[in-house]
Coordinates of all heavy atoms in Angstrom, one line a residue:
M1 N 68.3 130.9 0.5 CA 67.7 132.1 0.1 C 68.8 133.2 -0.2 O 69.7 133.3 0.7 CB 66.7 132.6 1.1 CG 66.0 133.8 0.7 SD 64.6 134.1 1.9 CE 64.3 135.7 1.6
L2 N 68.7 133.9 -1.2 CA 69.7 135.0 -1.5 C 69.4 136.1 -0.6 O 68.2 136.5 -0.3 CB 69.6 135.4 -3.0 CG 69.9 134.2 -4.0 CD1 69.5 134.8 -5.4 CD2 71.3 134.0 -3.9
P3 N 70.5 136.8 -0.2 CA 70.3 138.0 0.7 C 69.8 139.2 0.0 O 70.0 139.4 -1.2 CB 71.7 138.2 1.3 CG 72.6 137.6 0.2 CD 71.9 136.5 -0.4
H4 N 69.1 140.0 0.7 CA 68.6 141.3 0.1 C 69.9 142.2 -0.2 O 70.9 142.1 0.5 CB 67.7 142.0 1.2 CG 67.1 143.2 0.6 ND1 67.6 144.5 0.4 CD2 65.7 143.4 0.2 CE1 66.8 145.4 0.0 NE2 65.6 144.7 -0.2
P5 N 69.8 143.0 -1.2 CA 71.0 143.8 -1.6 C 71.5 144.8 -0.5 O 72.6 145.2 -0.5 CB 70.6 144.5 -2.8 CG 69.5 143.7 -3.4 CD 68.8 143.1 -2.3
L6 N 70.6 145.2 0.4 CA 71.0 146.0 1.4 C 71.2 145.3 2.8 O 71.6 146.0 3.8 CB 70.0 147.1 1.7 CG 69.7 148.0 0.4 CD1 68.6 149.0 0.7 CD2 71.0 148.7 0.1
A7 N 71.2 144.0 2.8 CA 71.4 143.3 4.0 C 72.9 143.3 4.4 O 73.8 143.3 3.4 CB 71.0 141.8 3.9
I8 N 73.3 143.4 5.6 CA 74.7 143.4 6.0 C 75.4 142.1 5.5 O 74.7 141.1 5.3 CB 74.9 143.6 7.5 CG1 74.3 142.4 8.3 CG2 74.3 144.9 8.0 CD1 74.6 142.4 9.8
L9 N 76.7 142.2 5.4 CA 77.3 141.0 4.9 C 77.3 139.9 5.9 O 77.4 140.2 7.1 CB 78.9 141.3 4.7 CG 79.2 142.3 3.6 CD1 80.7 142.7 3.6 CD2 78.8 141.7 2.2
S10 N 77.1 138.7 5.5 CA 77.1 137.5 6.4 C 78.6 137.3 6.7 O 79.6 137.8 6.2 CB 76.5 136.3 5.7 OG 77.4 135.9 4.6
E11 N 78.8 136.4 7.8 CA 80.0 136.0 8.2 C 80.8 135.3 7.0 O 82.0 135.6 6.8 CB 80.1 135.0 9.4 CG 81.3 134.6 9.9 CD 81.2 133.6 11.1 OE1 80.1 133.4 11.6 OE2 82.3 133.1 11.5
E12 N 80.1 134.5 6.3 CA 80.8 133.8 5.2 C 81.3 134.8 4.1 O 82.4 134.7 3.6 CB 79.7 132.8 4.5 CG 80.4 132.1 3.3 CD 79.4 131.3 2.6 OE1 78.2 131.1 3.0 OE2 79.8 130.6 1.6
E13 N 80.4 135.8 3.9 CA 80.8 136.8 2.8 C 82.0 137.6 3.3 O 82.8 138.0 2.5 CB 79.6 137.8 2.5 CG 78.4 137.1 1.7 CD 77.2 138.0 1.6 OE1 76.8 138.6 2.7 OE2 76.7 138.0 0.5
T14 N 82.0 138.0 4.6 CA 83.1 138.7 5.1 C 84.3 137.9 5.1 O 85.4 138.4 4.7 CB 82.8 139.1 6.6 OG1 81.6 139.9 6.7 CG2 83.9 139.9 7.2
N15 N 84.3 136.7 5.3 CA 85.5 135.7 5.2 C 86.0 135.7 3.8 O 87.2 135.6 3.5 CB 85.2 134.3 5.8 CG 85.0 134.4 7.3 OD1 85.6 135.3 8.0 ND2 84.3 133.4 7.9
I16 N 85.1 135.6 2.8 CA 85.4 135.5 1.4 C 86.2 136.8 1.0 O 87.2 136.7 0.4 CB 84.2 135.4 0.5 CG1 83.6 134.0 0.6 CG2 84.5 135.6 -0.9 CD1 82.3 133.8 -0.1
A17 N 85.7 137.9 1.4 CA 86.4 139.2 1.2 C 87.7 139.3 1.7 O 88.8 139.6 1.2 CB 85.6 140.4 1.6
R18 N 87.9 138.8 3.0 CA 89.1 138.8 3.8 C 90.1 137.9 3.0 O 91.3 138.3 2.7 CB 89.0 138.3 5.1 CG 90.3 138.3 6.0 CD 90.2 137.4 7.1 NE 90.1 136.0 6.7 CZ 89.4 135.0 7.3 NH1 88.8 135.3 8.4 NH2 89.2 133.9 6.8
N19 N 89.7 136.7 2.6 CA 90.6 135.7 1.9 C 91.1 136.3 0.6 O 92.2 136.0 0.2 CB 89.9 134.5 1.7 CG 89.7 133.7 3.1 OD1 90.3 134.0 4.0 ND2 88.7 132.8 3.1
V20 N 90.2 137.0 -0.1 CA 90.6 137.6 -1.5 C 91.7 138.6 -1.2 O 92.7 138.6 -1.9 CB 89.4 138.2 -2.2 CG1 89.8 139.1 -3.3 CG2 88.5 137.2 -2.6
I21 N 91.6 139.4 -0.2 CA 92.6 140.5 0.0 C 93.9 139.8 0.6 O 95.0 140.1 0.1 CB 92.1 141.4 1.2 CG1 90.9 142.2 0.7 CG2 93.2 142.4 1.6 CD1 91.0 143.0 -0.6
L22 N 93.8 138.8 1.4 CA 95.0 138.1 1.9 C 95.7 137.5 0.7 O 97.0 137.5 0.7 CB 94.7 137.1 2.9 CG 94.2 137.6 4.3 CD1 93.7 136.5 5.2 CD2 95.3 138.4 4.9
A23 N 95.0 136.9 -0.3 CA 95.7 136.3 -1.4 C 96.4 137.3 -2.3 O 97.3 137.0 -3.0 CB 94.6 135.6 -2.3
Q24 N 95.9 138.6 -2.2 CA 96.5 139.7 -3.1 C 97.9 140.1 -2.4 O 98.7 140.8 -3.1 CB 95.6 140.8 -3.2 CG 94.3 140.6 -3.9 CD 94.6 140.4 -5.5 OE1 95.3 141.0 -6.0 NE2 93.8 139.5 -6.0
H25 N 98.1 139.8 -1.2 CA 99.2 140.2 -0.5 C 100.0 139.1 0.3 O 100.0 139.0 1.6 CB 98.8 141.3 0.6 CG 98.2 142.5 0.0 ND1 98.8 143.5 -0.6 CD2 96.9 142.9 -0.1 CE1 98.1 144.5 -1.0 NE2 96.8 144.1 -0.7
P26 N 100.5 138.2 -0.5 CA 101.2 137.0 0.2 C 102.4 137.5 0.9 O 103.1 138.5 0.6 CB 101.5 136.1 -1.0 CG 101.6 137.0 -2.2 CD 100.6 138.1 -1.9
N27 N 102.7 136.8 2.0 CA 103.9 137.1 2.8 C 104.0 138.6 3.3 O 105.1 139.1 3.4 CB 105.2 136.7 2.0 CG 105.2 135.3 1.5 OD1 104.8 134.4 2.2 ND2 105.6 135.2 0.3
T28 N 102.8 139.1 3.6 CA 102.7 140.5 4.1 C 101.8 140.5 5.3 O 100.8 139.7 5.4 CB 102.2 141.4 3.0 OG1 103.0 141.2 1.8 CG2 102.3 142.9 3.4
V29 N 102.0 141.3 6.2 CA 101.1 141.5 7.4 C 100.0 142.5 7.0 O 100.2 143.5 6.5 CB 101.8 142.1 8.6 CG1 100.8 142.3 9.7 CG2 102.9 141.1 9.0
I30 N 98.7 142.0 7.1 CA 97.6 142.8 6.8 C 96.8 143.0 8.1 O 96.5 142.0 8.8 CB 96.7 142.0 5.8 CG1 97.4 141.6 4.5 CG2 95.3 142.9 5.5 CD1 97.8 142.9 3.7
D31 N 96.5 144.2 8.4 CA 95.7 144.6 9.6 C 94.4 145.1 9.1 O 94.4 146.3 8.7 CB 96.6 145.6 10.4 CG 95.8 145.9 11.8 OD1 94.9 145.2 12.2 OD2 96.1 147.0 12.3
F32 N 93.4 144.4 9.2 CA 92.0 144.8 8.8 C 91.5 145.8 9.7 O 91.5 145.6 10.9 CB 91.1 143.6 8.5 CG 91.4 142.8 7.4 CD1 92.2 141.7 7.4 CD2 90.9 143.1 6.1 CE1 92.6 140.9 6.3 CE2 91.2 142.4 5.0 CZ 92.0 141.3 5.1
R33 N 91.0 146.9 9.1 CA 90.3 147.9 10.0 C 88.7 147.6 9.9 O 88.1 147.5 10.9 CB 90.5 149.3 9.5 CG 91.9 149.8 9.6 CD 92.1 151.2 9.1 NE 93.5 151.6 9.2 CZ 93.8 152.8 9.4 NH1 92.9 153.8 9.4 NH2 95.0 153.2 9.5
E34 N 88.2 147.5 8.7 CA 86.8 147.2 8.6 C 86.5 146.5 7.3 O 87.2 146.7 6.2 CB 85.9 148.4 8.5 CG 85.7 149.2 9.9 CD 84.7 150.2 9.8 OE1 85.1 151.4 9.5 OE2 83.5 149.9 10.1
I35 N 85.5 145.6 7.3 CA 85.0 145.0 6.1 C 83.4 145.1 6.1 O 82.9 144.6 7.1 CB 85.3 143.5 5.9 CG1 86.9 143.3 5.9 CG2 84.7 142.9 4.8 CD1 87.3 141.9 5.8
Y36 N 82.8 145.9 5.2 CA 81.4 146.0 5.3 C 80.8 146.1 3.9 O 81.5 146.3 2.9 CB 81.0 147.3 6.2 CG 81.7 148.5 5.7 CD1 81.0 149.4 4.9 CD2 82.9 149.0 6.2 CE1 81.5 150.6 4.4 CE2 83.5 150.2 5.8 CZ 82.8 150.9 4.9 OH 83.4 152.2 4.6
L37 N 79.5 146.1 3.8 CA 78.8 146.2 2.6 C 79.0 147.5 1.8 O 78.8 148.6 2.5 CB 77.3 145.9 2.8 CG 76.4 146.0 1.5 CD1 76.6 144.8 0.7 CD2 74.9 146.1 1.9
S38 N 79.3 147.3 0.5 CA 79.3 148.5 -0.3 C 78.0 148.5 -1.0 O 77.7 147.6 -1.8 CB 80.5 148.5 -1.3 OG 80.5 149.5 -2.2
E39 N 77.1 149.4 -0.7 CA 75.7 149.4 -1.3 C 75.8 149.5 -2.8 O 76.7 150.3 -3.4 CB 74.9 150.5 -0.6 CG 74.6 150.3 0.8 CD 73.7 151.3 1.4 OE1 73.2 152.2 0.7 OE2 73.5 151.2 2.6
P40 N 74.8 148.9 -3.5 CA 74.9 149.0 -4.9 C 74.4 150.4 -5.4 O 73.9 151.1 -4.7 CB 73.8 147.9 -5.3 CG 73.0 147.7 -4.1 CD 73.9 148.0 -3.0
P41 N 74.9 150.7 -6.7 CA 74.4 152.1 -7.2 C 72.9 152.1 -7.3 O 72.2 151.1 -7.3 CB 74.9 152.0 -8.6 CG 76.0 150.9 -8.6 CD 75.6 150.0 -7.6
K42 N 72.5 153.3 -7.1 CA 70.9 153.6 -7.0 C 70.2 153.0 -8.1 O 69.1 152.4 -7.9 CB 70.7 155.1 -6.8 CG 69.3 155.5 -6.6 CD 69.2 156.9 -6.3 CE 67.7 157.3 -5.9 NZ 67.6 158.7 -5.7
A43 N 70.7 153.1 -9.4 CA 69.9 152.6 -10.6 C 69.8 151.1 -10.4 O 68.7 150.6 -10.7 CB 70.7 153.0 -11.8
Q44 N 70.8 150.3 -10.0 CA 70.7 148.9 -9.9 C 69.7 148.6 -8.7 O 68.9 147.6 -8.8 CB 72.0 148.3 -9.6 CG 73.0 148.2 -10.7 CD 74.3 147.5 -10.4 OE1 74.5 147.2 -9.2 NE2 75.1 147.3 -11.4
L45 N 69.8 149.3 -7.7 CA 68.9 149.1 -6.5 C 67.5 149.4 -6.9 O 66.5 148.5 -6.5 CB 69.3 149.9 -5.4 CG 68.7 149.6 -4.0 CD1 68.9 148.2 -3.6 CD2 69.2 150.5 -2.9
L46 N 67.2 150.4 -7.6 CA 65.8 150.7 -8.0 C 65.2 149.6 -8.9 O 63.9 149.3 -8.6 CB 65.8 152.1 -8.7 CG 65.9 153.3 -7.9 CD1 66.0 154.5 -8.7 CD2 64.9 153.4 -6.9
E47 N 66.0 149.0 -9.7 CA 65.4 147.9 -10.6 C 65.0 146.7 -9.7 O 63.9 146.2 -9.8 CB 66.4 147.4 -11.5 CG 66.8 148.3 -12.7 CD 67.9 147.8 -13.6 OE1 68.1 146.5 -13.6 OE2 68.6 148.6 -14.3
F48 N 65.8 146.4 -8.6 CA 65.6 145.3 -7.7 C 64.3 145.7 -6.9 O 63.4 144.8 -6.8 CB 66.7 145.0 -6.9 CG 66.4 144.0 -5.8 CD1 66.5 142.6 -6.0 CD2 66.0 144.4 -4.5 CE1 66.3 141.8 -5.0 CE2 65.8 143.5 -3.5 CZ 65.9 142.2 -3.8
L49 N 64.3 146.9 -6.4 CA 63.2 147.2 -5.5 C 61.8 147.3 -6.3 O 60.8 147.0 -5.7 CB 63.4 148.6 -4.8 CG 64.6 148.6 -3.8 CD1 64.8 150.1 -3.4 CD2 64.3 147.7 -2.6
A50 N 61.9 147.7 -7.6 CA 60.6 147.7 -8.3 C 60.1 146.2 -8.5 O 58.9 146.1 -8.3 CB 60.9 148.2 -9.7
L51 N 61.0 145.3 -8.7 CA 60.5 143.9 -8.7 C 60.0 143.5 -7.3 O 58.9 142.8 -7.2 CB 61.6 143.0 -9.1 CG 62.1 143.0 -10.6 CD1 63.3 142.1 -10.8 CD2 60.9 142.4 -11.4
E52 N 60.7 143.8 -6.3 CA 60.3 143.4 -5.0 C 59.0 143.9 -4.5 O 58.1 143.3 -4.0 CB 61.4 143.8 -3.9 CG 61.1 143.4 -2.5 CD 62.3 143.9 -1.6 OE1 62.6 145.1 -1.6 OE2 62.7 143.1 -0.8
H53 N 58.7 145.2 -4.8 CA 57.5 145.9 -4.4 C 56.3 145.5 -5.3 O 55.2 145.6 -4.8 CB 57.7 147.4 -4.4 CG 58.6 147.9 -3.3 ND1 58.2 148.1 -2.0 CD2 59.9 148.2 -3.4 CE1 59.2 148.5 -1.3 NE2 60.3 148.6 -2.0
S54 N 56.6 145.1 -6.5 CA 55.5 144.6 -7.4 C 55.1 143.2 -7.1 O 54.1 142.7 -7.7 CB 55.9 144.8 -8.8 OG 56.9 143.9 -9.2
G55 N 55.9 142.5 -6.3 CA 55.6 141.1 -6.0 C 56.1 140.2 -7.1 O 55.7 139.0 -7.1
R56 N 56.9 140.6 -8.0 CA 57.4 139.8 -9.0 C 58.8 139.2 -8.8 O 59.4 138.5 -9.7 CB 57.4 140.5 -10.4 CG 56.0 140.9 -10.8 CD 55.9 141.7 -12.1 NE 56.9 142.8 -11.9 CZ 57.4 143.6 -12.9 NH1 57.1 143.3 -14.1 NH2 58.2 144.6 -12.6
L57 N 59.3 139.4 -7.7 CA 60.7 139.0 -7.3 C 60.7 137.5 -7.1 O 59.9 136.9 -6.5 CB 61.1 139.7 -5.9 CG 62.6 139.4 -5.5 CD1 63.5 140.0 -6.6 CD2 62.8 140.0 -4.2
S58 N 61.7 136.8 -7.8 CA 61.8 135.4 -7.7 C 63.3 135.1 -7.4 O 64.2 136.0 -7.6 CB 61.4 134.8 -8.9 OG 62.3 134.9 -10.1
P59 N 63.7 133.9 -7.1 CA 65.1 133.5 -6.9 C 65.9 133.7 -8.1 O 67.1 133.9 -7.9 CB 65.0 132.0 -6.5 CG 63.6 131.8 -5.9 CD 62.8 132.7 -6.7
T60 N 65.3 133.7 -9.3 CA 66.1 134.0 -10.5 C 66.1 135.4 -11.0 O 66.8 135.8 -12.0 CB 65.6 133.0 -11.7 OG1 64.2 133.4 -11.9 CG2 65.7 131.5 -11.3
S61 N 65.5 136.3 -10.2 CA 65.5 137.7 -10.6 C 66.9 138.3 -10.5 O 67.6 137.9 -9.7 CB 64.6 138.5 -9.6 OG 63.3 138.1 -9.8
P62 N 67.2 139.2 -11.5 CA 68.6 139.8 -11.4 C 68.7 140.6 -10.1 O 67.8 141.3 -9.6 CB 68.6 140.7 -12.6 CG 67.2 140.9 -13.0 CD 66.4 139.7 -12.5
R63 N 69.9 140.5 -9.5 CA 70.2 141.2 -8.3 C 71.6 141.9 -8.5 O 72.4 141.4 -9.2 CB 70.4 140.2 -7.1 CG 69.1 139.5 -6.8 CD 69.3 138.4 -5.7 NE 68.1 137.7 -5.6 CZ 67.2 138.0 -4.6 NH1 67.4 138.9 -3.7 NH2 66.1 137.3 -4.5
P64 N 71.7 143.0 -7.7 CA 73.0 143.8 -7.8 C 74.0 142.8 -7.2 O 73.8 142.1 -6.2 CB 72.8 145.0 -6.9 CG 71.3 145.1 -6.9 CD 70.7 143.8 -7.0
P65 N 75.3 142.9 -7.6 CA 76.4 142.1 -7.0 C 76.6 142.6 -5.6 O 76.4 143.7 -5.2 CB 77.6 142.4 -7.8 CG 77.3 143.7 -8.5 CD 75.8 143.8 -8.7
R66 N 76.9 141.5 -4.7 CA 77.3 141.8 -3.3 C 78.7 142.2 -3.2 O 79.6 141.4 -3.6 CB 77.1 140.5 -2.5 CG 75.6 140.0 -2.5 CD 74.7 140.7 -1.5 NE 75.1 140.4 -0.1 CZ 74.7 141.1 0.9 NH1 73.9 142.1 0.7 NH2 75.0 140.7 2.1
L67 N 78.9 143.5 -2.9 CA 80.3 144.0 -2.8 C 80.7 144.3 -1.4 O 79.9 144.8 -0.7 CB 80.4 145.3 -3.6 CG 80.0 145.1 -5.1 CD1 80.0 146.5 -5.8 CD2 80.9 144.2 -5.9
A68 N 81.9 143.9 -1.1 CA 82.5 144.3 0.2 C 83.5 145.3 0.1 O 84.4 145.2 -0.7 CB 83.0 142.9 0.9
L69 N 83.4 146.3 1.0 CA 84.4 147.4 1.1 C 85.3 147.0 2.2 O 84.9 146.8 3.4 CB 83.8 148.8 1.3 CG 84.8 149.9 1.4 CD1 85.7 150.0 0.2 CD2 84.2 151.2 1.8
C70 N 86.6 146.8 1.8 CA 87.6 146.4 2.8 C 88.6 147.5 3.0 O 89.2 148.0 2.1 CB 88.4 145.1 2.3 SG 87.3 143.7 1.8
Q71 N 88.8 147.9 4.3 CA 89.7 148.9 4.6 C 90.8 148.3 5.5 O 90.5 147.6 6.5 CB 89.1 150.1 5.4 CG 88.0 150.8 4.6 CD 87.3 151.9 5.3 OE1 87.2 151.7 6.5 NE2 86.9 152.9 4.5
Y72 N 92.1 148.4 5.1 CA 93.1 147.6 5.9 C 94.5 148.3 5.7 O 94.7 149.2 4.8 CB 93.3 146.2 5.4 CG 93.4 146.1 3.9 CD1 94.6 146.0 3.3 CD2 92.3 146.1 3.0 CE1 94.7 145.9 1.9 CE2 92.5 146.1 1.7 CZ 93.6 145.9 1.0 OH 93.8 145.8 -0.2
D73 N 95.4 148.0 6.6 CA 96.8 148.5 6.5 C 97.6 147.3 6.0 O 97.5 146.1 6.5 CB 97.3 148.8 7.8 CG 96.6 150.1 8.4 OD1 96.5 151.1 7.5 OD2 96.2 150.2 9.5
V74 N 98.6 147.6 5.1 CA 99.6 146.6 4.6 C 100.8 147.0 5.2 O 101.4 148.1 5.1 CB 99.7 146.6 3.1 CG1 100.8 145.7 2.6 CG2 98.3 146.3 2.4
I75 N 101.4 146.2 6.0 CA 102.7 146.4 6.8 C 103.8 145.6 6.2 O 103.8 144.3 6.2 CB 102.5 146.1 8.2 CG1 101.3 146.8 8.8 CG2 103.7 146.4 9.0 CD1 100.8 146.4 10.1
G76 N 104.7 146.3 5.4 CA 105.8 145.6 4.8 C 107.0 145.5 5.7 O 106.9 145.7 6.9
N77 N 108.1 145.1 5.1 CA 109.3 144.9 5.8 C 109.9 146.2 6.5 O 110.6 146.1 7.5 CB 110.4 144.4 4.9 CG 110.1 143.0 4.4 OD1 109.5 142.3 5.0 ND2 110.7 142.7 3.2
D78 N 109.6 147.4 6.0 CA 109.9 148.6 6.6 C 109.1 149.0 7.9 O 109.4 150.0 8.5 CB 110.0 149.7 5.6 CG 108.5 150.0 4.9 OD1 107.6 149.3 5.3 OD2 108.5 150.8 4.1
R79 N 108.0 148.2 8.1 CA 107.1 148.3 9.2 C 106.3 149.7 9.2 O 105.8 150.0 10.2 CB 107.9 148.2 10.5 CG 108.7 146.9 10.7 CD 108.5 146.4 12.1 NE 109.4 145.3 12.3 CZ 109.0 144.0 12.2 NH1 107.9 143.8 11.8 NH2 109.9 143.1 12.5
I80 N 106.3 150.3 8.0 CA 105.4 151.4 7.9 C 104.2 151.0 7.2 O 104.2 150.5 6.0 CB 106.2 152.5 7.0 CG1 107.5 152.9 7.7 CG2 105.3 153.7 6.7 CD1 108.4 153.8 6.9
P81 N 103.0 151.2 7.8 CA 101.8 150.8 7.3 C 101.4 151.6 6.1 O 101.5 152.8 6.1 CB 100.8 150.8 8.5 CG 101.4 151.8 9.4 CD 102.9 151.8 9.2
S82 N 100.7 151.0 5.2 CA 100.1 151.6 4.0 C 98.7 151.4 4.0 O 98.2 150.2 3.9 CB 100.7 151.1 2.7 OG 100.0 151.6 1.6
F83 N 97.8 152.5 4.2 CA 96.3 152.3 4.3 C 95.9 152.0 2.8 O 96.2 152.8 1.9 CB 95.7 153.5 4.8 CG 94.2 153.4 4.8 CD1 93.6 152.7 5.8 CD2 93.4 154.2 3.9 CE1 92.2 152.6 5.8 CE2 92.1 154.1 4.0 CZ 91.4 153.2 4.8
E84 N 95.0 151.0 2.7 CA 94.5 150.6 1.4 C 93.0 150.3 1.5 O 92.5 149.9 2.6 CB 95.3 149.5 0.8 CG 96.7 149.7 0.6 CD 97.5 148.7 -0.1 OE1 96.8 147.8 -0.8 OE2 98.7 148.7 0.0
E85 N 92.3 150.5 0.4 CA 90.8 150.1 0.3 C 90.7 149.3 -0.9 O 91.2 149.6 -1.9 CB 90.0 151.4 0.2 CG 89.7 152.1 1.4 CD 88.7 153.2 1.2 OE1 88.5 153.7 0.1 OE2 88.2 153.7 2.2
S86 N 89.9 148.2 -0.8 CA 89.6 147.4 -1.9 C 88.1 147.1 -1.9 O 87.5 147.0 -0.8 CB 90.4 146.1 -1.9 OG 91.7 146.3 -2.1
V87 N 87.5 147.0 -3.0 CA 86.1 146.4 -3.2 C 86.3 145.1 -3.8 O 86.8 144.8 -4.8 CB 85.2 147.4 -4.0 CG1 83.9 146.8 -4.3 CG2 85.2 148.8 -3.4
V88 N 85.6 144.1 -3.1 CA 85.6 142.7 -3.5 C 84.2 142.2 -3.8 O 83.3 142.5 -3.0 CB 86.1 141.8 -2.3 CG1 86.0 140.3 -2.8 CG2 87.6 142.2 -2.0
D89 N 84.0 141.7 -5.0 CA 82.8 141.1 -5.4 C 82.8 139.7 -4.8 O 83.5 138.9 -5.1 CB 82.7 141.0 -6.9 CG 81.3 140.4 -7.5 OD1 80.8 139.6 -6.7 OD2 80.9 140.8 -8.4
V90 N 81.9 139.5 -3.8 CA 82.0 138.2 -3.0 C 81.4 137.1 -3.8 O 81.7 135.9 -3.6 CB 81.3 138.4 -1.6 CG1 82.0 139.2 -0.7 CG2 79.8 138.7 -1.7
G91 N 80.5 137.4 -4.8 CA 79.9 136.4 -5.6 C 81.0 135.8 -6.6 O 81.1 134.5 -6.7
T92 N 81.8 136.6 -7.1 CA 82.9 136.1 -8.1 C 84.2 135.9 -7.4 O 85.1 135.4 -8.0 CB 83.1 137.1 -9.3 OG1 83.5 138.3 -8.7 CG2 81.8 137.3 -10.0
R93 N 84.3 136.4 -6.1 CA 85.5 136.3 -5.4 C 86.7 136.9 -6.1 O 87.8 136.5 -6.1 CB 86.0 134.7 -5.1 CG 84.9 134.1 -4.3 CD 85.1 132.6 -4.1 NE 84.0 132.0 -3.4 CZ 84.1 131.4 -2.2 NH1 85.3 131.4 -1.6 NH2 83.0 130.8 -1.7
Q94 N 86.4 138.2 -6.6 CA 87.4 139.0 -7.3 C 87.4 140.4 -6.7 O 86.5 140.9 -6.3 CB 87.0 139.1 -8.8 CG 87.0 137.8 -9.5 CD 88.4 137.2 -9.7 OE1 89.4 137.9 -10.0 NE2 88.6 135.9 -9.4
R95 N 88.6 140.9 -6.6 CA 88.8 142.4 -6.3 C 88.5 143.2 -7.5 O 89.1 143.0 -8.6 CB 90.3 142.6 -5.8 CG 90.5 144.0 -5.3 CD 91.8 144.2 -4.6 NE 92.9 144.1 -5.5 CZ 94.1 144.3 -5.2 NH1 94.5 144.6 -3.9 NH2 95.1 144.2 -6.0
V96 N 87.6 144.1 -7.3 CA 87.1 144.9 -8.5 C 87.6 146.3 -8.5 O 87.5 147.1 -9.5 CB 85.6 144.8 -8.7 CG1 85.1 143.4 -9.0 CG2 84.8 145.3 -7.5
Q97 N 88.0 146.7 -7.3 CA 88.6 148.2 -7.2 C 89.7 148.0 -6.1 O 89.5 147.3 -5.2 CB 87.5 149.1 -6.7 CG 86.5 149.5 -7.7 CD 85.5 150.6 -7.2 OE1 85.7 151.0 -6.1 NE2 84.5 150.8 -8.1
H98 N 90.6 149.0 -6.2 CA 91.7 149.0 -5.3 C 92.2 150.5 -5.2 O 92.5 151.1 -6.3 CB 92.8 148.1 -5.6 CG 94.0 148.1 -4.7 ND1 93.9 147.6 -3.4 CD2 95.2 148.7 -4.8 CE1 95.0 147.8 -2.8 NE2 95.9 148.4 -3.6
R99 N 92.6 150.9 -4.0 CA 93.1 152.3 -3.9 C 94.0 152.2 -2.6 O 93.7 151.7 -1.6 CB 92.0 153.3 -3.7 CG 92.4 154.7 -3.5 CD 91.2 155.6 -3.4 NE 90.5 155.4 -2.2 CZ 89.3 155.9 -2.0 NH1 88.8 156.8 -2.9 NH2 88.7 155.7 -0.9
V100 N 95.2 152.9 -2.9 CA 96.1 153.0 -1.7 C 96.0 154.4 -1.2 O 95.9 155.4 -1.9 CB 97.6 152.9 -2.3 CG1 98.6 153.2 -1.2 CG2 97.8 151.5 -2.9

């Protein structure tokens, strides 16, 4: 069963997000602060909720992507941490946003 768009990330989804971030920073120390659900935009959520409340929701109904907001420090050779945030689409296993 597919998770509700507002359900917290599962352990598997959290691990996927972590692995995507680790792959982006090979041979670097990453200190994760938090990984949590990035809620979908209101417009996407309203479409899903309209289907859900009308009783027309099915396993094939369109759903907003499951996004994980990852906050972490990248610690390089100079040992000075750089705080970074990334949004990972756990369905496609791709980083879709990044900010230092």
